[in-house]
Amino acid sequence: MANIVKRYGIGLTTVFVALAAFWMLALVWIPYSIMIEQSFRLYLPFSELNGPRDVYTLANYASLFDSIAARNVLGINVPIPVYIFLLTVLYSCLVTVLCFAFAYPMAWLLAKRVSVGAVPLIIMLLIIPMFVSELLRTYAWYIILAFQGPLNAALGLFGIGKIRWLTGYNGVIIGMVYTYILFMFFPIYNSLTSLDTNQIEAAQDLGAKWWDVHRLVAIPHAKSGISSGCTIVFMFSVGSVLVPTMLGSPSSRWFTEVILRTMFESQDWNTASAYAFLILLVCLVFVSLVMRLFRVNLTDVAK
Amino acid sequence: MIGDNVALDRISIEFGNFQAASDVSVDIRPGEFFSFLGPSGCGKTTILRTISGFQEPTRGTVEIGGRPMKGISPNKRPTALIFQNLALFPLMPVWENIAFGLRVRGMGKTERRARAERLLDIVEMSGTGDKMVSQLSGGQRQRIAIARALAVEPKVMLLDEPLSALDLKLRQHMRAELRAIQERTGVTFIYITHDQGEALAMSDRIGVMSRGRLQQVDSPEAIYNRPVNAFVASFVGENTILDGRIAAEDGKFVRFDTTAGTFLALPGPELQEGAFSRLFVRPEHVRVGGEAASNSVSAAIAKIVFEGNLITVVGRTSHGTDLTAQFTNNSTSIRPKVGDHLNFSFDPADAQVLASEPVRTKEVA
């Protein structure tokens, strides 16, 4: 702190600290605190606010379970909101795994195989689609994946029959992988560029096959990039509204849609807050699992 | 454990228009400590990468232990490479670094650990197995890199200037250490260096390289005392170099005319009729003082450098030619002063006339 004051003077330091404090308090902690506080109170008519029924309760959270409808999963009756919640977490994990599966080889090629001169062009080609808004890009996938759409037409040229892409969670997963893959790609690419090529060659020289090089040298080296990529992609997927709304099918429901409906159709902000808080908890659990899995600390993930 | 021989047969390596190595042929004997010596950019690292399999030669063949190596990938060759920056794995503890080659060969953990401990003993680093590489000093890392390479029981060990990052004291210590490990294990060592002292002190034989070509392959003594051409003579050791031309043959010597006078010297092996040549004589072979005789020239002392064990004096003749002499510092050695006129002389058998390129250009990096 004394260092910052010495370097930037007292005035500028105050501005820095004040801005950081404003961001932390006004944009993060206060809204979240209000949301969490709301989630423990019932949705009551205005006249009953601060009345005898306005007490702290877990009823909003419990409402997740007392659904009229339930679904039988492996012999257990799971209430629909819980079922949607679990599927959202499951499919977000799948999106994360798929993003890794596509992004890692791509990052490897770009960081270690492609000639240095070609890299800026390729990275530009990767970024340019991001100039278009997420809404339009998702619309584009809606068209591409349509039953009479260009993808099926292209597959038809190879004699492959028409596939119904937008059923179940297919469209949602394809759309999310596409939308979030770069958030996986760039952290991994960054950490792989710092891997010394001599280390790869040393491993090969000592008898390592190509998968040994990845398993024992490259992936451990890139683990901070991989863990931050996984964290970002998972959080974005769990919290995504746009993609599940646009590319979802009648049989796909995302938990954010449940929150959205509770909030704007039922006007029940308290229950919606409880559900939103659950998503926050899931994200926290996921981050700590990833940190445990990759044996990295929070600073590595934040990078 | 005994090493394999390595036979390079007319190896040429091209990168586009750049000729990194041309026509390199050498037969490295089993269990030999062989050094490639040359300035940076002379192609010695490329040769090493060719032996280890990271680089396929454009032309020519590599044979290790009589087996042609064409198409055999680095992980299947009986070689182990020690990188210039060592390339130890920073995320693994020391013992796992050493046992890496055993791990990828599918050896179980307890056995790996035991083997790693044995290798730590060999490089005198017992008890450091659980440390991380970052906790070790430069010299210790060096030893771990050697242990890691020895773990896979290579027939040929390839070392790419592994001592260049160490300070002088440690470097001299590690020279002896490397030589001792080599003798203990019997593995063929192929060593790359630009440091002539290192090459002379450690090697059984040295191959001197320049611009992708092998200039001379010989014992350290022969390289120093009987260099075949001007490049080898000037790259290994110091010289007084006199420009001139061969006037006549005189028995086993030649008469060499220079602006400072005519000198007798041995003709070098690569001399050709009419080719440009120079006279080379080592400073320690030049005597200062004494009567004027054959092979002597009077010069004014221009510079005296006292180095403790040695004294180096530079004399300038009336024609502006510099001669360097070096002698040991003892009670009987002369103590010239700057400006003194003294005779500089040398034995004809200690001087050589060597083929040289007309203009000494800087080596291409």
Side-chain angles (χ1 to χ4, degrees):
Chain A
M1 191 69 189
N3 229 333
I4 303 174
V5 175
K6 199 172 171 188
R7 183 170 297 179
Y8 298 107
I10 196 81
L12 212 50
T13 307
T14 314
V15 172
F16 287 159
V17 173
L19 282 174
F22 173 79
W23 181 66
M24 288 298 284
L25 282 172
L27 302 179
V28 180
W29 289 111
I30 293 172
Y32 268 99
S33 306
I34 294 171
M35 186 192 88
I36 292 164
E37 199 257 351
Q38 288 279 310
S39 75
F40 290 103
R41 290 166 69 177
L42 289 173
Y43 174 43
L44 296 171
F46 188 74
S47 56
E48 287 189 43
L49 284 180
N50 299 318
R53 284 187 61 206
D54 195 0
V55 290
Y56 289 118
T57 164
L58 288 171
N60 293 331
Y61 293 89
S63 73
L64 205 61
F65 297 92
D66 61 30
S67 173
I68 327 129
R71 198 181 171 106
N72 197 307
V73 182
L74 303 167
I76 306 162
N77 269 334
V78 183
I80 289 290
V82 177
Y83 179 70
I84 294 172
F85 180 78
L86 292 177
L87 274 191
T88 302
V89 172
L90 188 75
Y91 282 121
S92 295
C93 289
L94 181 66
V95 168
T96 311
V97 169
L98 286 175
C99 278
F100 174 74
F102 287 113
Y104 179 80
M106 208 158 77
W108 172 262
L109 286 179
L110 231 62
K112 290 288 153 209
R113 288 283 172 271
V114 173
S115 73
V116 182
V119 169
L121 178 73
I122 297 172
I123 290 195
M124 268 319 278
L125 289 175
L126 287 172
I127 294 176
I128 284 172
M130 296 296 130
F131 293 179
V132 180
S133 85
E134 194 182 331
L135 185 72
L136 286 178
R137 279 182 288 137
T138 312
Y139 253 127
W141 273 104
Y142 185 73
I143 294 164
I144 292 169
L145 295 175
F147 190 65
Q148 304 283 9
L151 180 60
N152 273 343
L155 289 175
L157 296 177
F158 298 98
I160 299 167
K162 285 188 174 173
I163 299 167
R164 207 166 274 286
W165 293 101
L166 291 169
T167 62
Y169 283 87
N170 295 349
V172 180
I173 289 165
I174 293 170
M176 282 194 182
V177 169
Y178 172 77
T179 313
Y180 301 131
I181 193 161
L182 286 189
F183 296 99
M184 183 69 92
F185 170 80
F186 280 109
I188 299 180
Y189 171 74
N190 273 341
S191 47
L192 281 179
T193 45
S194 67
L195 175 61
D196 178 10
T197 307
N198 279 352
Q199 299 232 337
I200 301 164
E201 291 191 342
Q204 288 173 336
D205 189 62
L206 292 166
K209 290 155 199 80
W210 69 267
W211 63 85
D212 292 322
V213 173
H214 289 286
R215 190 171 60 96
L216 301 172
V217 181
I219 291 179
H221 178 88
K223 65 180 182 178
S224 65
I226 294 169
S227 52
S228 56
C230 286
T231 310
I232 298 170
V233 170
F234 179 82
M235 286 189 185
F236 280 2
S237 304
V238 168
S240 176
V241 178
L242 193 69
V243 179
T245 316
M246 292 184 58
L247 295 176
S249 70
S251 59
S252 78
R253 272 290 164 267
W254 211 250
F255 197 64
T256 46
E257 294 177 287
V258 176
I259 299 176
L260 207 65
R261 247 178 308 120
T262 319
M263 202 165 238
F264 293 111
E265 287 172 26
S266 317
Q267 289 286 311
D268 182 354
W269 284 38
N270 300 77
T271 307
S273 297
Y275 292 179
F277 185 50
L278 282 179
I279 283 197
L280 180 68
L281 283 182
V282 164
C283 289
L284 289 176
V285 169
F286 185 85
V287 172
S288 46
L289 276 179
V290 164
M291 284 186 340
R292 183 71 58 84
L293 188 68
F294 289 98
R295 295 196 195 87
V296 291
N297 54 35
L298 210 54
T299 343
D300 287 331
V301 179
K303 276 181 201 159
Chain B
M1 192 158 37
I2 184 76
D4 272 344
N5 76 315
V6 176
L8 304 182
D9 187 25
R10 295 190 303 269
I11 296 280
S12 291
I13 300 151
E14 285 156 21
F15 300 109
N17 285 328
F18 178 67
Q19 189 93 17
S22 30
D23 224 17
V24 172
S25 294
V26 62
D27 197 347
I28 297 161
R29 299 171 194 134
E32 187 174 26
F33 198 122
F34 189 94
S35 294
F36 282 101
L37 173 66
S40 58
C42 73
K44 54 195 194 305
T45 298
T46 311
I47 292 287
L48 203 71
R49 291 177 64 80
T50 307
I51 299 171
S52 61
F54 289 109
Q55 177 71 49
E56 279 291 330
T58 315
R59 282 183 299 281
T61 56
V62 180
E63 277 186 21
I64 301 175
R67 217 153 56 94
M69 286 290 129
K70 190 174 169 58
I72 296 180
S73 55
N75 56 7
K76 297 202 180 69
R77 293 194 182 195
T79 57
L81 178 57
I82 294 184
F83 290 79
Q84 192 163 7
N85 67 355
L86 305 181
L88 292 171
F89 304 121
L91 301 173
M92 298 178 198
V94 164
W95 80 267
E96 277 195 53
N97 258 284
I98 295 174
F100 183 89
L102 307 171
R103 183 170 179 187
V104 298
R105 281 170 177 73
M107 188 184 276
K109 190 172 177 180
T110 41
E111 207 186 335
R112 274 194 336 248
R113 178 86 213 215
R115 287 278 285 275
E117 291 299 335
R118 263 210 307 288
L119 283 153
L120 279 169
D121 280 345
I122 291 181
V123 295
E124 292 166 356
M125 288 283 292
S126 327
T128 55
D130 288 313
K131 285 193 179 171
M132 296 307 277
V133 174
S134 55
Q135 290 171 282
L136 303 180
S137 70
Q140 289 176 320
R141 286 180 204 190
Q142 199 76 57
R143 287 165 210 246
I144 300 307
I146 293 163
R148 184 178 73 172
L150 285 173
V152 297
E153 296 184 348
K155 300 288 188 193
V156 180
M157 191 90 123
L158 307 165
L159 302 98
D160 187 3
E161 308 210 23
L163 303 186
S164 56
L166 304 181
D167 62 62
L168 183 66
K169 261 262 151 53
L170 196 54
R171 199 153 66 220
Q172 282 169 343
H173 177 72
M174 286 307 293
R175 278 181 198 172
E177 197 86 341
L178 273 179
R179 186 71 223 215
I181 290 170
Q182 191 263 337
E183 277 165 3
R184 238 178 357 249
T185 55
V187 174
T188 310
F189 269 47
I190 301 179
Y191 192 88
I192 293 286
T193 183
H194 64 266
D195 181 331
Q196 40 139 333
E198 233 166 76
L200 293 172
M202 289 195 289
S203 320
D204 291 315
R205 283 192 305 159
I206 299 171
V208 182
M209 283 192 80
S210 165
R211 291 181 207 174
R213 286 185 183 278
L214 208 46
Q215 305 289 331
Q216 184 172 6
V217 179
D218 236 321
S219 68
E221 220 182 298
I223 294 276
Y224 188 82
N225 290 335
R226 293 283 167 264
V228 296
N229 61 32
F231 175 80
V232 178
S234 52
F235 190 73
V236 183
E238 298 297 318
N239 298 281
T240 290
I241 304 170
L242 299 171
D243 283 343
R245 54 176 201 86
I246 296 169
E249 286 185 32
D250 188 342
K252 62 173 188 166
F253 299 113
V254 288
R255 286 186 178 282
F256 195 72
D257 278 346
T258 72
T259 49
T262 301
F263 298 98
L264 276 177
L266 285 170
E270 288 180 7
L271 275 182
Q272 280 164 350
E273 192 86 30
F276 198 84
S277 57
R278 283 169 151 169
L279 187 145
F280 289 79
V281 58
R282 302 282 186 201
E284 66 270 24
H285 295 150
V286 177
R287 285 184 306 276
V288 184
E291 295 299 306
S294 69
N295 267 13
S296 88
V297 61
S298 173
I301 305 296
K303 199 165 81 177
I304 301 169
V305 182
F306 179 74
E307 293 173 47
N309 57 339
L310 296 170
I311 298 169
T312 306
V313 297
V314 178
R316 183 160 293 164
T317 66
S318 51
H319 307 280
T321 313
D322 281 352
L323 292 113
T324 309
Q326 197 173 54
F327 45 89
T328 50
N329 169 29
N330 57 39
S331 54
T332 56
S333 55
I334 61 156
R335 295 297 156 94
K337 286 185 186 59
V338 172
D340 286 356
H341 281 266
L342 289 169
N343 281 318
F344 282 67
S345 59
F346 54 87
D347 197 292
D350 286 330
Q352 280 202 102
V353 175
L354 297 171
S356 173
E357 285 156 42
V359 186
R360 287 264 313 142
T361 51
K362 219 169 148 261
E363 292 295 325
V364 191

